Amino acid sequence: MASVTDPNQLHPSDPLIPNAMVEDDVYEEPNSRRRFLIFNAMPAWAVSTFVHVIILLVLGLVSIADPVKIVNVLSASATAEEGPEMEEFAIEQLDPGEVAEMEEITETTVDTSEQIEMPEPTTSVESIEIAEVAIDMGEMASDMAPAATSLQTLSSVSGAPMSSRSADMKKKLLRDYGGSASSEAAVTEALKWFSRHQFPNGGWSFQHNVACNNRCGDPGEPKRAGAVNAATAMALLPFMGAGQTHKSGDFRENVYRGLKFLISNGKLGKKNGMPVLDLTESAGNGMYSHGLASIALCEAYAMTGDPELAMPAQASINFIVYAQCRDGGWRYRPQQPDGGDTSVVGWQVMALKSAHMGHLLVPPTTVQGSVLFLDKVQSNNGATYGYASPSAKVRPACTAVGVLCRMYTGWSKTDPRIVAGVKEVAKIGFRKDQIYYDYYAAQVLRQFGGAEWDKFNNEMRDWLVETQSQDGGAKGSWHFPKGGHGPKDGGRLASTSFATMMLEVYYRHMPLYADNAAEDDFPL
């Protein structure tokens, strides 16, 4: 019977000690009788003592057994039934690759309940297809200036710089500054048009007809087909102008994919020891494309405070700082030897202002350089501006850009030079054949306000609402074949971008170029 009582031969499913003790009682009966006689021969006090000792030992064993049971509960296997509290402690070993994948999935959580029907591209799409390039933002972050001195989040300031794009504030500003229900309806239709012409890779092209299988015509010039950064930025800016971001809004998926395309399509590098994100492209005249793309990234960061956008936005600004010409301006190529031109300068100053409003790092010396360039090309004591030098005659677009930049860089609205510049712009008025000029003039006059703005706005608003396409695939868009610099080369997409942003001027520009612009100017 030793094989039965040997504990080393017990199976985990077998009963424990009590069953073995029963079998011993059956087969060792004589010994049990002898132990019983000895027990009867013991005096009563000895029996009582013996019994009490047994009871104490049993109680001791019971108290010792409880901790063992607790340990067993805490070390229960995953197959045991678990309540909600136990699930909290279920920890699995994760592969580092799996962690990275999980973070990426979390980052891209967007509402896809309303999928955009994307037509199959034609064969010509190969000329504009851009391969996405992976960017290690972690490495970029480690090279940036310390966050405490160079980058601030929106939570660190008292008010978000883009708060006027919220639904309630938009209604107020539309009412106060001359917008209408019809102008807002036109904006919504334009955003729908942009959403229908986004490519599967997240970008847009001035050859927009490829995305819609020629359901609407009037593409940009073939030489602009490769300017995908510029086209993508021009499509994104109207979304964000209407308060749409990659975090919220009906078009957040479109905005998210567009921003991701811009960041992936930029060229990451270092200039003067600082990380830069180069978004130039020869088809978009270099710094034109970069300035537009930088505005889009900086606006998106300023509106959301998303830390994932802080580094690419700052790096795009760093490239603008690097690319500045010796005369303080910017032109097609970074540090172009013959100096800047007013048109390119306008986009870079707006990008710097967007970054400043988003509390990114903007070196004062860069802003001071832009002021020196404006001094170089101004005429009539700052009331008018030329292209690369002072102009004897008034150049509408250059003058509107120059006056707006002066507002950004601190000239007060009561400054006689600003007053004179606004009078020049108001004298030119609204030009149906110069949408590029109108885009800047609308901002200048909206900033200044008054009768000059009311007259300009009434003409602009009503004409744009009336001329918006209502037919077929072009519904919601505009095309201005003689719209001046930009719309002419960029076709229907560029025309629609300018027109939409002009109809958003009531609320879109207030956060960047608010009425108190002189009080919130660049650090000079």
Side-chain angles (χ1 to χ4, degrees), residues 183-345:
S183 67
E184 273 299 275
V187 169
T188 300
E189 289 301 316
L191 299 185
K192 292 178 181 178
W193 184 88
F194 281 117
S195 72
R196 295 195 300 268
H197 290 79
Q198 187 173 23
F199 282 91
N201 62 6
W204 279 267
S205 169
F206 292 124
Q207 302 293 303
H208 67 276
N209 56 314
V210 177
C212 67
N213 282 334
N214 294 307
R215 285 200 289 260
C216 57
D218 307 307
E221 295 291 332
K223 64 182 179 180
R224 302 300 179 199
V228 290
N229 291 343
T232 300
M234 293 199 75
L236 284 172
L237 288 173
F239 283 112
M240 291 185 286
Q244 302 283 322
T245 72
H246 64 294
K247 296 288 189 181
S248 63
D250 296 335
F251 300 96
R252 57 186 173 275
E253 181 182 0
N254 301 98
V255 177
Y256 170 80
R257 292 168 57 211
L259 291 172
K260 184 178 180 182
F261 175 84
L262 279 183
I263 296 171
S264 299
N265 205 43
K267 297 178 285 289
L268 183 63
K270 281 189 177 182
K271 297 294 183 182
N272 300 328
M274 289 294 288
V276 297
L277 187 62
D278 177 2
L279 292 150
T280 61
E281 48 197 358
S282 59
N285 284 347
M287 290 301 294
Y288 269 113
S289 292
H290 183 88
L292 283 162
S294 183
I295 294 171
L297 292 175
C298 291
E299 279 199 11
Y301 174 68
M303 291 177 71
T304 64
D306 186 349
E308 293 295 321
L309 288 175
M311 297 309 151
Q314 180 67 61
S316 73
I317 293 298
N318 292 348
F319 189 82
I320 292 177
V321 173
Y322 154 76
Q324 192 169 29
C325 300
R326 294 184 63 182
D327 65 353
W330 290 269
R331 211 159 191 166
Y332 304 141
R333 301 190 307 276
Q335 300 182 0
Q336 192 161 324
D338 53 348
D341 74 62
T342 303
S343 183
V344 178
V345 166

Side-chain angles (χ1 to χ4, degrees), residues 30 75 118 156 171 269 415 474 477 501:
S75 61
M118 196 66 63
S156 66
K171 293 179 182 179
D415 191 309
S477 65
M501 288 189 287

Side-chain angles (χ1 to χ4, degrees), residues 469-504:
S469 178
Q470 302 296 326
D471 301 323
K475 179 178 173 59
S477 65
W478 289 266
H479 180 235
F480 308 120
K482 297 181 179 180
H485 189 51
K488 181 180 179 181
D489 285 358
R492 186 171 292 274
L493 186 141
S495 295
T496 303
S497 178
F498 282 117
T500 308
M501 288 189 287
M502 287 161 63
L503 289 177
E504 295 171 343

